[in-house]
Amino acid sequence: MNIFTRSPRTPAIVLVRPQLGENIGKAARAMLNFGLTDLRLVSPRDGWPNPAAGPAASGADIVLEQARVFDSVAEAVADCAHVYATTVRKRGLVVPVVTPEEAAREIRTQAEPSAILFGAERSGLETEEVAIAGKILTVPINPDFRSLNLAQAVILVAYEWSKHSDLAIPTEGEEREPRATQGQLEGLIGQLEEALEAAGYYHPPDRTPATKNTIRTILTKADWSNREVQAMRGVIRALVNPRRR
Amino acid sequence: MNIFTRSPRTPAIVLVRPQLGENIGKAARAMLNFGLTDLRLVSPRDGWPNPAAGPAASGADIVLEQARVFDSVAEAVADCAHVYATTVRKRGLVVPVVTPEEAAREIRTQAEPSAILFGAERSGLETEEVAIAGKILTVPINPDFRSLNLAQAVILVAYEWSKHSDLAIPTEGEEREPRATQGQLEGLIGQLEEALEAAGYYHPPDRTPATKNTIRTILTKADWSNREVQAMRGVIRALVNPRRR
């Protein structure tokens, strides 16, 4: 397989706990305008399908029909290696921040599939959800008037992605190992959390979520391939279960 | 008071015969998100002011309050030297066509003021109105699904204009932590090698150098800061010396 000649990657658009069906439809319409069709919904408030979505999609029915529903962000992005969390807010996370332009460039040139998370209309993404992403995607906006709605955020990101769609993908560079999928990475994170739990690492209890997010961010940042993820899983196994000598 | 009126040039947004007050409000909201405040209305169908505009503006009242109404496109752009007509349709006019990106670049660098025309919701701009403009601004869009509404067209143009302005710097992100020094990284690698040695991980002996190199490469690749390196050292300590419970 030649990873350099296939068509550029299209990101999955993941709406996390969207409230109004109308906004799901508007997001679908925004997507299709710029050629995106992979819509994923995490726990839509009013279930799915939602009769309010169709009229708002203004004909982008194919996006709604193909939309998939998941119970968690982790499940929704399990097959993706690059996950971006769209948020304008500061979080207590040390995660690289990129513009839509930078994200679009990365998504188009990365060999592995990407996903872009958008939070609920009012509340946005939870810190734990942002922590699943390796990067924060922030739309640079008027600091005195931040009022992007969900479909507008989607359309700006989709527009940036589409902009250079006629351009050839750079064919330079060495072939490198593909980044592990989110599912593979979750395997490592879950194993380590379990081991640390057993080792009494998490204390005091009220710091546990922050500590877990920190470790998740560190491991996500590492940009490991599945081979590397599996090697680190072997390391953890060895430390937890030393060989008798 | 208004940081957006300083140079570089901000374009006027001209809505030509807009039908719904709601769409005028949405356009105002889209503008202010990206620092544009000069809204001009040509013959709004339902007159002006329009009570439906305010709620849709979601707080962008200053844009609506300062909006000016004109009877014709020619009057609306009388003070502008560069006029762009936003349309996705082919017209029987020989006029240069630019993308939002190209238009934004021109507007920002031209010495004289610019205006961008947007047509009525359904009918768009008349050929005579396009002819007033020196250039056509076209948003590159999915040829099989052209469904941009008025506010979406405005937001894409405003977004492009803002991208390279001072306010377009994403200041929300945390400053990136410096990468750990090689000495700090060696501390982690040495600690892990020692722990793995004690756990009987290295076998057979002739594979030990290769295994150590693999782990070194994995940890080097991770691009961690010293804070992250120290956190991982804490993780290893916890796994090697579980807390008694």
Side-chain angles (χ1 to χ4, degrees), chain B residues 8-109:
Chain B
R9 287 288 182 182
T10 62
I13 299 297
V14 184
L15 306 186
V16 182
R17 287 170 282 101
Q19 300 179 301
L20 298 177
E22 185 190 349
N23 289 334
I24 300 172
K26 287 179 177 175
R29 175 185 180 184
M31 288 169 62
L32 193 55
N33 264 308
F34 296 104
L36 299 184
T37 54
D38 185 352
L39 175 62
R40 307 180 185 189
L41 306 173
V42 175
S43 306
R45 187 189 67 184
D46 300 333
W48 191 256
N50 182 322
S58 298
D61 302 317
I62 190 171
V63 177
L64 297 179
E65 286 160 13
Q66 296 178 352
R68 286 175 287 166
V69 179
F70 300 88
D71 290 330
S72 69
V73 171
E75 289 170 86
V77 301
D79 62 329
C80 298
H82 307 276
V83 181
Y84 298 82
T86 307
T87 170
V88 293
R89 268 165 282 180
K90 264 202 168 119
R91 306 279 172 174
L93 296 170
V94 183
V95 174
V97 177
V98 295
T99 64
E101 195 170 20
E102 292 162 341
R105 195 181 311 125
E106 293 175 2
I107 289 166
R108 299 185 61 77
T109 52

Side-chain angles (χ1 to χ4, degrees), chain A residues 24-41:
Chain A
I24 300 172
K26 286 179 175 175
R29 176 185 179 184
M31 288 170 64
L32 193 56
N33 265 307
F34 296 104
L36 299 185
T37 55
D38 186 351
L39 175 61
R40 307 180 186 189
L41 307 174

Side-chain angles (χ1 to χ4, degrees), chain B residues 214-229:
Chain B
T214 299
I215 290 173
R216 168 179 290 277
T217 303
I218 290 172
L219 296 179
T220 303
K221 174 185 182 179
D223 197 30
W224 287 328
S225 68
N226 186 45
R227 183 185 58 80
E228 291 163 336
V229 163

